Amino acid sequence: MSSFGYNILGFGSFTLGITTGQDAYTSAGTFTWVAPAGVTSVSVVAIGGGGSGANDGWHGGGGGGLGYKNNYSVTPGSSYTVVVGAGAGTGSQAAGEDSYFVNTSTVKGGAGSVGGYNNAAGGATTGDGGGKGGNFAAANNFLNGGGGGAGGYAGN
């Protein structure tokens, strides 16, 4: 029995079996992906956008989460939603955005929150695994801390 895999990146992923292609979505936005002929399952990795640091320059933002899902069943010729969330710009005083495939319940890399006195939280994930983005790392009584890193495949 042959297994067909397909990678959807931008996101970034791999599958076992016969790999028939991959697509990378690296710019923020909402896209429609159409399953190619012969492709019946996909593996997807979604990485959320990081949050900005606070305008005070002392509080870093939370990192985006990384979620993945392997062997998600698709139907050749059917359309699926791909959302690539943007990271917040420097000094924008904003959270990042979620990235996901189909919907946030299927596979999601959550957005990091904006830096501030309450410590910015890293983005949460949905799927088969992955890791929450790093929280703001406080130093000197919550001053001058760095932002959180992105979540990893094996955990936070």
Side-chain angles (χ1 to χ4, degrees):
M1 179 169 125
S2 295
S3 66
F4 290 94
Y6 201 88
N7 298 326
I8 300 176
L9 305 172
F11 319 123
S13 181
F14 67 93
T15 61
L16 301 175
I18 300 169
T19 301
T20 58
Q22 78 179 23
D23 288 332
Y25 294 87
T26 59
S27 297
T30 300
F31 307 92
T32 299
W33 177 78
V34 178
V39 174
T40 58
S41 70
V42 295
S43 293
V44 181
V45 173
I47 302 170
S52 75
N55 284 338
D56 61 14
W58 294 347
H59 301 87
L66 180 151
Y68 68 85
K69 185 140 190 95
N70 291 326
N71 300 313
Y72 180 78
S73 294
V74 295
T75 302
S78 292
S79 298
Y80 299 88
T81 300
V82 175
V83 173
V84 179
T90 303
S92 65
Q93 203 62 20
E97 297 175 343
D98 292 340
S99 294
Y100 60 88
F101 179 69
V102 179
N103 57 48
T104 58
S105 299
T106 301
V107 62
K108 174 186 89 170
S113 66
V114 65
Y117 291 103
N118 293 325
N119 290 346
T125 65
T126 305
D128 293 338
K132 178 180 172 289
N135 296 334
F136 157 71
N140 300 328
N141 297 321
F142 300 102
L143 301 178
N144 301 319
Y153 283 95
N156 301 342

